[in-house]
Amino acid sequence: MSHADLSLVDAYWRAANYLSAGQIYLMDNPLLTEPLAPEHIKPRLLGHWGTTPGLNFVYAHLNRIIRERDLDVLFLTGPGHGGPALLANTWLEGTYSETYPDVPRDGEGMRKLFRQFSFPGGVPSHVAPEVPGSIHEGGELGYSLAHAFGAAFDNPGLIVACVVGDGEAETGPLAASWHVNKFLDPISDGAVLPILHLNGYKIANPSLLARIPHDELDSLLRGYGYAPFYVQGDDPDDMHARMAEVLDQVVDEIHRVKQRTDRPRWPMIVLRSPKGWTGPSEVDGVPIENTWRAHQVPLAGVRENPEHLRQLESWLRSYLPGELFDGDGRPRAELSELVPRGDRRMGATPHANGGLLLRELKMPGIRAHAVEVVKQGSTHSEPTRVLGRLLRDVITLNQADFRIFGPDETASNRLDAVFEVTGKQWQAETLPVDEHLVRDGRVVEVLSEHLCQGMLEGYLLTGRHGLFNCYEAFIHIVDSMFNQHAKWLKTHKRLDWRRPIASLNYLLSSHVWRQDHNGFSHQDPGFIDHVMNKKAEVVRVYLPPDTNTLLSVADHCLRSKDYVNVVVAGKNETPDWLDIDEAVLHCTRGAGIWEWASNDEDEPDVVMACAGDAPTVEVMAAVKLLREHLPSLRVRVVNVVDLMRLQPDTEHPHGMPDREFDALFTADRPVIFAYHGYPWLIHRLTYRRTNHHNIHVRGYKEEGTTTTPFDMLVLNDMDRYRLVIDVIDRVPGLGPKAARLRQLMQDQRTRHHAWIREHGEDLPEVRDWTWQ
Amino acid sequence: MSHADLSLVDAYWRAANYLSAGQIYLMDNPLLTEPLAPEHIKPRLLGHWGTTPGLNFVYAHLNRIIRERDLDVLFLTGPGHGGPALLANTWLEGTYSETYPDVPRDGEGMRKLFRQFSFPGGVPSHVAPEVPGSIHEGGELGYSLAHAFGAAFDNPGLIVACVVGDGEAETGPLAASWHVNKFLDPISDGAVLPILHLNGYKIANPSLLARIPHDELDSLLRGYGYAPFYVQGDDPDDMHARMAEVLDQVVDEIHRVKQRTDRPRWPMIVLRSPKGWTGPSEVDGVPIENTWRAHQVPLAGVRENPEHLRQLESWLRSYLPGELFDGDGRPRAELSELVPRGDRRMGATPHANGGLLLRELKMPGIRAHAVEVVKQGSTHSEPTRVLGRLLRDVITLNQADFRIFGPDETASNRLDAVFEVTGKQWQAETLPVDEHLVRDGRVVEVLSEHLCQGMLEGYLLTGRHGLFNCYEAFIHIVDSMFNQHAKWLKTHKRLDWRRPIASLNYLLSSHVWRQDHNGFSHQDPGFIDHVMNKKAEVVRVYLPPDTNTLLSVADHCLRSKDYVNVVVAGKNETPDWLDIDEAVLHCTRGAGIWEWASNDEDEPDVVMACAGDAPTVEVMAAVKLLREHLPSLRVRVVNVVDLMRLQPDTEHPHGMPDREFDALFTADRPVIFAYHGYPWLIHRLTYRRTNHHNIHVRGYKEEGTTTTPFDMLVLNDMDRYRLVIDVIDRVPGLGPKAARLRQLMQDQRTRHHAWIREHGEDLPEVRDWTWQ
């Protein structure tokens, strides 16, 4: 690298640092054309300076090499708190003003850029969806590297440069993410370049990885499977020279890895630079630069404290803004020599606005996979096994655009038909005994829900499609990641320039009612409740009662955009209730009366409602008992697939108007509702409805252990016998026959208890039960 | 080690393996006194064989060295699925029968031991709370090592032997846990001995760490800071000799580390043994042992398949049960030579039944810390800062029994008074610039909520006290860990022999309403909703409105047992509403009328209810506006501290009877309820109440960004102006004066919007607002 080249990189870096500090402090006088005065300073000083100069350093150097080698680079900001850095760089390179023409690349634009930062009505302080070039917020730490790997899959020409903060590096998800290099295929996938940024400190503590001996750190990173390159120091000239040299080596190494077939050892960079680099080194006699005190705003009370004001001015002028910007506030022409062209600019890459690259998923059609249903409930099938065949064909039709992620459970969840056409991606050692491990496969399995979620998010945000299949109980592991993705989606949908991306689809199987064998720790249906707290415009929950409805729901979800879809479906044999036409119609409606199962002739004595596969079986079994023993009782069966339908249409786009709700659930008849999850959710969704006081919900109430499937229902009072008792207790005037049936049901529950303790399996009449 | 000693270890291991396989398969004929017949086989074969022989191997060898050196060892089973192993070993050593006298250590006891396993009415298949000697379920993978470190803190004489499965090792929390060795103090804390069990496979895949080159694995573990010792092979004799040798070395090394003052490099063991070791090597021509197929039940359909039945019998007999048990089914006397004595038996250690060791927390008394409140609302203080002083004194009084865990936020949450008497524990490198880093401190900070939660759980379960302080939004990171702890507590409380332990206390600060500066990613109050899904008997949620109520709540929570307490409290200046006497009374009641703020004279026109510090301020500000503009309106103010009070007493032990609820909230007047979190929770808690249809709730509805504190309230329609409008819209017949006030309030909201965009901070009348 010539000295002139490095001077340019340094000028660019100084410009970005100036623009970053300016955002934190200034609401006027952006070019310091007059002496800094209190009225130029924002009344509230917000922002994270500490990480920012390091991010600017990396960005400037990446610009240099992108431009020099025409690289396709996506930049991920693990320390997403450093919003000023990305805003500064995208403004400098022009992409910010192209995205937001009201913030032009001139003096007035700079004033707006500064003022809007962390300002009411302005832009958030983090690398939020509003920032061009970003797929990663970084407000909640830990997911950058998993996002990076997800973005790199099936993008063979892409380099994902991912800055990992040393704070973030202490989190669990990040610590696990290093190992994803055992999946990435050098041929068919892109490269991930982790840049571990050791600036040494968090909010109030040193970071662990900055305080272990160099040899130990090196050993750790080599143990993760990387070849680390170190850039370390605080002298800008030395650091520029070293960073340029290392980036050249690293890019050479990436190309070398991608041309070989032996097990890859990807390069990575360790950048050890001071926290708050180039900022105030001391304030009021206390060291700031290179300490945790530089984390947020290094100089406080600037409006009130003339000494701090003076110090701020001298800090800002230390970047020599007059050399960087012309009199109109435009970056000087020579700076543009460092800016990559067009979409090569990291703020303009279409990978960060995945909807631009999104190809519609080719769907194979669900009818070919439907199970034949001559008469409702007369046959049985395993819903997720049949879904596996649909997914197999989705994979065939969409080779480089669709992936399935799962924590070692794809076969356990009975989706293994996919292995007829693909394998599990794997670059670690293989043995002859292995099955389905391949270099380039559509399935990625690792025993970490965090990694599955993170990789899928990265994959979707860069314009592809996918599915996360998981045991229902353990999806709570990613509650917080779901939160952040839902928040991202909400904001993304409100930005015109961000194009729709594929929905994040959860298939939750091995659910609460069939974890009788694994016990209490595996029994938890609460993810639905968690999801319901997020904006109605981004969340959907489906509980298909059988195989064909699962196919219909899956078809709908896989085609959809900008949602999080939660589908809960069993893997065990369950009655086929609806043929494919009925299933599509029922799923389109989202909830409906099953007339073939009802005998109410529009005047029910009781409504038996169900949502979920296990509750549907119990309701149907209860209905059969009622028909047999109380044939004159008019029972209506309502099945709910789309849980959002229960809400008023004022609350959720899928919500039903009250009239429609009353038409299904009546205005005054008792409703016995068997629900898959915690019962109170049904109350929450329906409490504004006319008949709410008459809705009696059964569901999971946190009772369970290792037992039989039917005992799980009994323990939680959702078994058929209990449902019959509920009907008898709620419908007035049923007479002595009902009283006898009630006793019979109680006897059956007692008999069940004794039977399972004696035989270790369920009552024969339960095991062999069929509707037809 | 002599050959005789190793024969004994082998015999013990074979006995445990026999007892493990027996639990999975047999419901009768436990000693194989007659040929195995289908009726001896359980109808449903459940259990995880794969990990079990390895666990048995480790347990037997630990017995040997405990006995030989009189060690105090707590055993943690990361692969908690291997329940049969721990049940077998505790039965063999006698602790199981001491805990459960109905399962004696004889033939009949063995029959019961076998039959009860994974059998209805029997015992769970995992290492659940029912298992003596356990503090770790292991159903949800990833937390064993964090639990181990938590258990080792302040137990200088203890060795926590923690088996980490290679599946579990892929999870985020486990990957991060290795680094906790940078906190553990060799002098004042115990030792953690990680035993990474590479049996090579998960449910359906190889494990990552088993498929990287040896050098890379070694480099990784050294990079984590350990000195690994390897035990590898499949020949039992060789493996016994090697394991005994390594255990001797490792225990020597632990003693050496504990006697030195340089930075410790703790030893660990890597045990590479076949999955399903000593089980069927092939079934139906397919390899089983040393493949993923050994994960659960290696031989299926044994009742129906005579060949499988024969194979099972020969497998079971391969352990030579006749040599291991006498004719009455008692373990032969020579086996007892390996069993440690009394409480040294790992199933009997009091560390695993922490309540036995629990010392009552010495509380300093809250009055000395209370803020003086001469007139309600006339002074201000920072609640968590004052709490910090209480915690400081708790630390002083309970040196080795109390710890605070937090993700780098103890100072940010303004608890830093604790650093007057203690420091942050830290064994990594220190620099002169560092503050409060000490070798032995009561505060543990690491940027991983998973680790904070895991360490605290381990600390509590072994009989100590503690607190987890966290930003409210990011506590969702441990949703799933909370689930598992709540499930553990529920079961633990139902077991007479398990003694009460200290509650798990969450202090959630930096909450949704004051993350205006950090933005949308930091705004999420949903943990409360998540917690509410667990059993009422174990969960409590408190929303103290000011400093003195926070002191009272904290005092109560720190003294409590067997709960999870969630306390949400702000760190920013807030009015002091109650003096300490009023605060204690109010918190004891959990909810009550603030008569000094009300003018309803028992006949309110409207009830203004609030729960949470920010909502309380807004309600009070709205009340003040109403008083000023509509003095004849009778307003009652109700404040709720203990959220559980809102539920009926049939739902939660803290719930209010309907009569009491009606006395507070009236039977027919409009209630405007400003709530800290998502508004629907209040509906869920109150939907059965008389006046529910009249309760109008304001709360967080997922709107937010980087803005001002008051704007967060406006964005979510919970600001004082909106609350006044709500009152006017709900109370009939207020006349033209109210209509004018309504317009004024709307104007104020408009003015607010314009003001913050112009000035970047809140309206002066909001910033300077006081009640008095």
Side-chain angles (χ1 to χ4, degrees), chain A residues 189-203:
Chain A
D189 298 325
V192 171
L193 173 62
I195 301 164
L196 176 61
H197 187 201
L198 296 183
N199 68 23
Y201 298 91
K202 298 171 288 186
I203 307 183

Side-chain angles (χ1 to χ4, degrees), chain A residues 388-669:
Chain A
R389 298 181 201 129
L390 179 74
L391 294 174
R392 174 194 64 202
D393 293 359
V394 171
I395 287 170
T396 303
L397 291 173
N398 302 276
Q399 270 299 331
D401 272 339
F402 180 78
R403 283 188 183 241
I404 295 175
F405 297 87
D408 192 29
E409 292 160 3
T410 304
S412 172
N413 287 330
R414 304 193 186 168
L415 302 174
D416 37 328
V418 299
F419 299 126
E420 295 167 22
V421 299
T422 190
K424 293 176 274 196
Q425 192 156 10
W426 184 264
Q427 321 300 331
E429 194 191 346
T430 56
L431 296 177
V433 76
D434 293 332
E435 288 185 351
H436 310 309
L437 299 185
V438 297
R439 184 166 185 138
D440 170 18
R442 298 290 95 201
V443 177
V444 181
E445 294 206 319
V446 58
L447 211 165
S448 165
E449 287 78 4
H450 291 115
L451 295 187
C452 293
Q453 171 88 15
M455 291 186 285
L456 176 56
E457 287 178 3
Y459 198 64
L460 298 174
L461 287 161
T462 49
R464 284 76 65 77
H465 306 262
L467 178 80
F468 179 3
N469 83 90
C470 190
Y471 277 27
E472 183 186 37
F474 301 135
I475 198 67
H476 273 300
I477 291 170
V478 299
D479 274 4
S480 209
M481 297 182 77
F482 154 80
N483 278 353
Q484 298 299 337
H485 189 72
K487 282 174 181 281
W488 180 282
L489 277 183
K490 177 200 147 190
T491 306
H492 146 109
K493 288 178 84 151
R494 295 180 184 187
L495 295 166
D496 287 343
W497 62 273
R498 284 212 175 258
R499 306 298 304 277
I501 58 168
S503 299
L504 195 163
N505 297 306
Y506 292 102
L507 175 68
L508 307 185
S509 195
S510 307
H511 63 54
V512 55
W513 300 109
R514 294 311 295 265
Q515 284 295 310
D516 43 283
H517 61 300
N518 271 323
F520 195 36
S521 64
H522 284 52
Q523 295 157 359
D524 193 302
F527 188 64
I528 297 172
D529 303 68
H530 179 69
V531 163
M532 296 292 296
N533 276 344
K534 290 290 164 271
K535 277 285 171 190
E537 65 207 69
V538 297
V539 295
R540 305 286 182 266
V541 178
Y542 299 95
L543 295 158
D546 71 353
T547 298
N548 285 335
T549 49
L550 174 59
L551 290 176
S552 174
V553 163
D555 185 64
H556 174 76
C557 293
L558 290 171
R559 294 172 193 270
S560 74
K561 309 254 167 67
D562 282 351
Y563 298 140
V564 174
N565 296 308
V566 180
V567 182
V568 186
K571 64 188 184 185
N572 301 91
E573 278 220 331
T574 203
D576 302 316
W577 300 115
L578 302 181
D579 71 26
I580 192 66
D581 291 322
E582 293 166 329
V584 170
L585 188 63
H586 184 53
C587 293
T588 307
R589 287 181 179 151
I593 300 171
W594 280 4
E595 281 162 14
W596 51 270
S598 309
N599 66 340
D600 63 313
E601 289 158 15
D602 287 346
E603 281 287 341
D605 298 312
V606 64
V607 175
M608 303 285 286
C610 42
D613 50 14
T616 299
V617 170
E618 287 319 290
V619 158
M620 295 300 280
V623 167
K624 193 172 172 183
L625 285 163
L626 288 167
R627 280 204 185 172
E628 188 185 330
H629 294 275
L630 296 176
S632 63
L633 183 75
R634 289 165 307 176
V635 179
R636 171 183 292 177
V637 175
V638 173
N639 183 273
V640 179
V641 180
D642 174 353
L643 209 55
M644 305 293 131
R645 295 287 283 149
L646 294 177
Q647 287 178 287
D649 49 355
T650 50
E651 298 285 321
H652 193 283
H654 287 196
M656 272 188 229
D658 279 337
R659 207 173 47 178
E660 199 180 329
F661 188 91
D662 291 351
L664 289 185
F665 292 95
T666 79
D668 55 1
R669 298 308 149 93

Side-chain angles (χ1 to χ4, degrees), chain B residues 465 501-503 505 555-563 565:
Chain B
H465 306 262
I501 59 169
S503 299
N505 297 307
D555 184 63
H556 175 75
C557 292
L558 289 172
R559 293 171 193 270
S560 74
K561 308 255 167 68
D562 283 351
Y563 298 139
N565 296 308

Side-chain angles (χ1 to χ4, degrees), chain A residues 43-44 46 48 81 115 118-120 124-126 137 139-140 167 170-172 176 182 201-206 208 211-213 216 219-220 222-225 263 265 291-293 408 424 426 428-431 433-435 437 445-448 450 474 476-477 479-480 483-484 487 490 494 516-518 520-524 529-530 533-535 678 680 683-684 687 692 700-703 706-708 756-761, chain B residues 43-44 46 48 81 115 118-120 124-126 137 139-140 170-172 176 182 201-206 208 211-213 216 219-220 222-225 263 265 291-293 408 424 426 428-431 433-435 437 445-448 450 474 476-477 479-480 483-484 487 490 494 516-518 520-524 529-530 533-535 678 680 683-684 687 692 700-703 706-708 756-761:
Chain A
R44 240 187 134 201
L46 300 177
H48 289 78
H81 290 63
R115 186 187 170 89
S118 282
F119 205 84
S125 58
H126 292 178
E137 216 268 358
E140 180 170 314
E170 293 177 14
T171 67
K182 278 105 203 162
Y201 298 91
K202 298 171 288 186
I203 307 183
N205 283 292
L208 284 177
R211 295 295 182 89
I212 58 175
E216 201 167 304
S219 181
L220 181 67
R222 289 182 193 281
Y224 284 136
R263 175 156 173 253
R265 180 174 280 278
T291 80
W292 70 95
R293 296 189 193 90
D408 192 29
K424 293 176 274 196
W426 184 264
E429 194 191 346
T430 56
L431 296 177
V433 76
D434 293 332
E435 288 185 351
L437 299 185
E445 294 206 319
V446 58
L447 211 165
S448 165
H450 291 115
F474 301 135
H476 273 300
I477 291 170
D479 274 4
S480 209
N483 278 353
Q484 298 299 337
K487 282 174 181 281
K490 177 200 147 190
R494 295 180 184 187
D516 43 283
H517 61 300
N518 271 323
F520 195 36
S521 64
H522 284 52
Q523 295 157 359
D524 193 302
D529 303 68
H530 179 69
N533 276 344
K534 290 290 164 271
K535 277 285 171 190
Y678 295 106
W680 32 85
H683 289 295
R684 171 183 149 186
Y687 73 83
H692 173 251
Y700 183 67
K701 50 184 189 180
E702 206 60 23
E703 292 295 338
T706 311
T707 185
T708 67
I756 59 170
R757 274 157 186 72
E758 168 77 19
H759 298 274
E761 57 183 359
Chain B
R44 239 185 133 202
L46 300 177
H48 291 78
H81 290 64
R115 186 187 168 91
S118 281
F119 204 85
S125 57
H126 293 177
E137 216 269 357
E140 179 169 314
E170 293 176 15
T171 67
K182 277 105 202 159
Y201 298 91
K202 298 170 288 186
I203 307 182
N205 283 291
L208 284 176
R211 296 296 182 87
I212 58 175
E216 202 167 303
S219 182
L220 180 67
R222 288 181 193 281
Y224 284 136
R263 178 160 171 250
R265 179 172 283 276
T291 80
W292 70 92
R293 296 188 193 91
D408 192 28
K424 294 176 274 193
W426 183 266
E429 194 190 346
T430 55
L431 296 177
V433 76
D434 293 331
E435 288 186 352
L437 299 187
E445 295 207 319
V446 57
L447 211 164
S448 164
H450 290 115
F474 302 136
H476 273 300
I477 291 171
D479 273 4
S480 210
N483 278 353
Q484 297 300 336
K487 282 174 182 280
K490 177 199 148 189
R494 295 180 185 187
D516 44 282
H517 60 300
N518 270 321
F520 196 35
S521 64
H522 285 51
Q523 296 157 358
D524 193 302
D529 303 68
H530 179 69
N533 276 344
K534 290 291 164 272
K535 277 285 172 189
Y678 295 106
W680 31 86
H683 289 295
R684 171 182 148 187
Y687 72 83
H692 174 251
Y700 183 67
K701 50 184 189 181
E702 205 61 23
E703 292 295 340
T706 311
T707 185
T708 67
I756 59 171
R757 273 157 187 72
E758 170 77 15
H759 298 273
E761 57 184 356

